[in-house]
Amino acid sequence: MEGVDYLADERKKAGFDVDEMKIVWAGSRHDFELTDRISKLVASDPGFSKEGRTMLPRKELFKNTLRKAAYAWKRIIELRLSQEEATMLRRYVDEPAFTDLHWGMFIPAIKGQGTDKQQEKWLPLAYKMQIIGCYAQTELGHGSNVQGLETTATFDPQTDEFVIHSPTLTSSKWWPGGLGKVSTHAVVYARLITDGKDYGVNGFIVQLRSLEDHKPLPGVTVGDIGMKFGNGAYNSMDNGVLSFDHVRIPRDQMLMRVSQVTKEGKYIQSDIPRQLLYGTMVYVRQSIVADASLAMSRAVCIATRYSAVRRQFGSQNGGQETQVIDYKTQQNRLFPLLASAYAFRFVGEWLKWLYTDVTQRLAANDFSTLPEAHACTAGLKSLTTSATADGIEECRKLCGGHGYLCSSGLPELFAVYVPACTYEGDNVVLQLQVARFLMKTISQLGTGKKPVGTVSYMGRIEHLMQCRSDVKQAEDWLKPSAVLEAFEARSARMSVACAKNLSKFENQEEGFAELAADLVEAAVAHCQLIVVSKYIEKLQQNIPGKGVKQQLEVLCGIYSLFILHKHQGDFLGTGYITSKQGSLANDQLRALYSQLRPNAVSLVDAFNYTDHYLGSILGRYDGNVYPKLYEAAWKDPLNKSDIADGFHEYIRPLLKQQLRTAKL
């Protein structure tokens, strides 16, 4: 029946103020009102419909994405939306498009690396979308190893130009979104060569296509790299391949904020330190962490609602079967993911603050917090994207067979999200960067340099190396101090163990290569500590609303104790807890699942996602799953006729064939 809320009974169980939780999730009342208004505006507009997206052939899918992007721009202009509102609208359109890279990478690169004069020239054009840009860094042969890029930019003092060239097949730019068919310009990263010397990788603004007929300019070979994983998903994006055959650009199209080349071909460093380039990287990675909480929460919302609707087994005397969400095995898999969504949301909020703080310090030539910010964003990008990709797939499995249907929304969500594990830095490589930061921090402990920020716990290294957990009963694991010290001791001891093993190698780089797997584990432990500590800090704030703080405490307990249980070998191996204390943590974890259960549906309602944004029949707000699944099945193109195309050519001859016994 239309209009019936099949999850109404679940919503009546909520022991907290759901409206206040929506504000906590959004970050502030302003952010809640903004997201609520814009998401509903998009959901109510037929121009943004997702109907049949996963069934469209690639060319039609891509053309439909171009239509939506153009329509979104039209609505942004008509409604006179602010930049913040426009960004929100593009998010809720929920379709990967060239605009993502134009606004998310091309413009920030010019803002971060261009001189004031270059920004005055290029940004007005980009803001009005009179040019469309992308970010061309990754090559066919090199991704994470940016210093290994092969594209060259050789300065010619005779003409005051750079010659951009792709000397090898593997130097072809490969993967940039928006490059394949749309972008008119790109920020291209190439090896700067002047006066016969290679000065490493630098950014250049390069025009790729004519602004008259959109054809590639002379010397530019550009196209799409082909179909990617999943139906719909990232196939709406024109990820591209690009190569140059001695393409000339004016000297002033080198991004010159931190380094310049004079007319005579002399390379000079500007007064602005090169570390400023990391500001853009910190911005992009903190955005990725925020996106992780969105993707995880979408998957969890679908799986939670469906787990409450779906019933299997357990019926007695003809009564109803048991709700799947009541099975402890389902709770053990689902509730930690729900807790992770909240945890990632709060650490994302903190990273946003960190980026603002770092930016203000950089403007004042204070670079003291930059190494930590770089390590934080690298490590948390790696941790959250890996956990989210795994979490989305787990949610698909939590939905049983129906989770495999495109109409569940989960296969496409996974296919759209999973590239985050490798873009902006491969996740294992990023954790190795964190490990280097940790090893450097430990090496400086005896020098009097006090560790600050997320590594400040290292300043208590002697205590953390010797202390033992004083947990005596399961409830003791609810104390934030008990949990925090456990994570600090585990991280400190794993890092110190790596540092000791590294010291046994005469060549430190050889040691890093040999101990890479251990170093990654130490980095992950450190990043999990950051998430737990920021969650605990969140709970120390004034949180209004009936029962809201209590539910957040339950979720924090589930996240931290689940991590403790999952990585119990680390906590036991470092000697901080005993096996008995580990068992008590698991007992408390099960008790927290029982406390969470009545509030599960309302906790995902607090994400405030429209059915349009979720794009899932299984995750519908009203829980009316089965009639809608049945209805959707008949919309498949295969069901347009009773007899399939190809029946008469291939199936009928099989059915009508005369079988004869072979004579040997």
Side-chain angles (χ1 to χ4, degrees), residues 404-630:
Y404 193 62
L405 286 167
C406 280
S407 57
S408 77
L410 291 164
E412 190 176 16
L413 178 60
F414 180 73
V416 165
Y417 189 76
V418 76
C421 294
T422 44
Y423 65 57
E424 284 308 295
D426 175 84
N427 281 354
V428 172
V429 174
L430 290 181
Q431 291 294 12
L432 285 169
Q433 291 178 11
V434 177
R436 285 185 183 276
F437 173 70
L438 292 174
M439 295 304 101
K440 185 175 181 181
T441 300
I442 289 172
S443 70
Q444 294 174 337
L445 288 178
T447 65
K449 186 174 180 181
K450 190 177 179 182
V452 296
T454 54
V455 288
S456 59
Y457 68 100
M458 292 285 191
R460 295 179 285 109
I461 198 77
E462 289 183 12
H463 169 73
L464 291 174
M465 292 300 291
Q466 297 172 2
C467 62
R468 297 288 183 270
S469 173
D470 60 1
V471 166
K472 294 180 175 62
Q473 54 190 6
E475 292 78 11
D476 290 343
W477 281 117
L478 295 177
K479 298 174 185 174
S481 57
V483 170
L484 197 55
E485 188 175 81
F487 275 80
E488 287 176 342
R490 168 209 181 200
S491 181
R493 294 177 193 194
M494 290 176 73
S495 291
V496 167
C498 285
K500 284 181 178 177
N501 287 331
L502 270 176
S503 68
K504 298 172 185 175
F505 289 83
E506 289 184 20
N507 183 319
Q508 190 166 29
E509 287 308 308
E510 184 184 323
F512 261 96
E514 184 66 26
L515 300 171
D518 293 346
L519 287 160
V520 167
E521 288 180 2
V524 168
H526 171 69
C527 293
Q528 288 170 341
L529 164 61
I530 296 175
V531 177
V532 169
S533 65
K534 296 308 166 187
Y535 206 148
I536 290 172
E537 283 179 19
K538 179 74 177 180
L539 293 174
Q540 292 168 348
Q541 298 173 10
N542 179 35
I543 301 172
K546 171 181 169 274
V548 172
K549 186 170 185 176
Q550 182 185 1
Q551 284 310 304
L552 292 177
E553 287 172 344
V554 169
L555 287 164
C556 181
I558 288 174
Y559 179 78
S560 54
L561 294 182
F562 179 78
I563 296 294
L564 190 152
H565 178 67
K566 184 179 177 183
H567 296 275
Q568 195 167 147
D570 291 345
F571 290 91
L572 289 169
T574 55
Y576 179 76
I577 66 170
T578 64
S579 58
K580 173 64 175 174
Q581 289 168 329
S583 179
L584 290 173
N586 203 31
D587 292 343
Q588 185 56 55
L589 182 59
R590 283 197 306 275
L592 289 172
Y593 291 159
S594 297
Q595 291 178 41
L596 178 64
R597 167 62 189 97
N599 299 286
V601 168
S602 295
L603 282 167
V604 300
D605 286 350
F607 303 148
N608 202 39
Y609 295 147
T610 62
D611 283 347
H612 171 273
Y613 184 59
L614 272 186
S616 168
I617 291 175
L618 302 188
R620 290 172 59 92
Y621 182 85
D622 64 10
N624 189 18
V625 171
Y626 300 124
K628 294 300 179 181
L629 278 178
Y630 190 81

Side-chain angles (χ1 to χ4, degrees), residues 268-320:
I268 54 174
Q269 290 279 98
S270 72
D271 294 336
I272 298 171
R274 194 170 182 82
Q275 291 101 313
L276 271 178
L277 296 181
Y278 290 118
T280 305
M281 192 181 297
V282 170
Y283 166 76
V284 171
R285 287 178 178 161
Q286 65 90 20
S287 300
I288 292 173
V289 174
D291 289 343
S293 73
L294 288 175
M296 179 74 93
S297 58
R298 285 175 71 176
V300 166
C301 186
I302 294 167
T304 301
R305 286 176 178 168
Y306 181 61
S307 294
V309 169
R310 184 73 165 178
R311 292 176 178 271
Q312 292 286 286
F313 306 110
S315 64
Q316 294 180 352
N317 302 319
Q320 282 191 309

Side-chain angles (χ1 to χ4, degrees), residues 192 199 202 254 256-262 266-275 277:
L192 192 162
Y199 286 93
N202 209 92
M254 166 189 170
M256 293 191 182
R257 191 174 184 191
V258 298
S259 55
Q260 302 169 5
V261 170
T262 66
K266 184 181 178 185
Y267 178 86
I268 54 174
Q269 290 279 98
S270 72
D271 294 336
I272 298 171
R274 194 170 182 82
Q275 291 101 313
L277 296 181

